[in-house]
Amino acid sequence: MINGALIRAARGLLGWSGKTLAQRAQIGTATLQRIEHASYVDRGQYGTIRKIREVLMEEGIRFTDEASGDIGVALTREKAWELQHRDFGQGETGH
């Protein structure tokens, strides 16, 4: 199960604001903020967290789990390459 810290880390890797993630997951910004700052996941939030996880994974985020011995978040190589080249391209064109 992912938690608020992992969600914040995933947003950071993508360069997304909370508002962007909330819009993409079709949830309220205040709901996302509560989840990101909660010390535990409430059972009533499982459906919302599933939406968040799906959106993040569609964007190239991968979550490691306890079964692997690690808990964390990473970008797929493809997404990392895309973000690097997008950012580089914007800098080159002056956008």
Side-chain angles (χ1 to χ4, degrees):
M1 176 59 70
I2 64 172
N3 60 32
L6 293 175
I7 293 169
R8 287 191 310 273
R11 283 196 303 106
L13 287 171
L14 293 171
W16 284 8
S17 67
K19 182 178 178 180
T20 298
L21 177 55
Q23 288 173 341
R24 298 264 183 120
Q26 298 180 348
I27 63 172
T29 303
T31 299
L32 177 62
Q33 289 173 343
R34 277 193 303 276
I35 290 170
E36 286 189 342
H37 293 95
S39 57
Y40 66 93
V41 176
D42 186 281
R43 288 184 64 193
Q45 296 173 328
Y46 288 162
T48 303
I49 290 175
R50 187 173 55 246
K51 285 182 180 182
I52 294 168
R53 182 183 176 107
E54 288 172 2
V55 166
L56 292 171
M57 290 183 73
E58 286 172 4
E59 289 297 321
I61 293 293
R62 294 295 171 258
F63 295 96
T64 58
D65 59 15
E66 294 177 38
S68 70
D70 297 317
I71 299 174
V73 60
L75 275 175
T76 61
R77 289 178 197 250
E78 294 82 13
K79 187 64 176 188
W81 187 89
E82 176 188 320
L83 290 173
Q84 287 174 344
H85 288 81
R86 181 196 68 198
D87 292 343
F88 178 74
Q90 287 178 349
E92 288 292 303
T93 60
H95 293 244

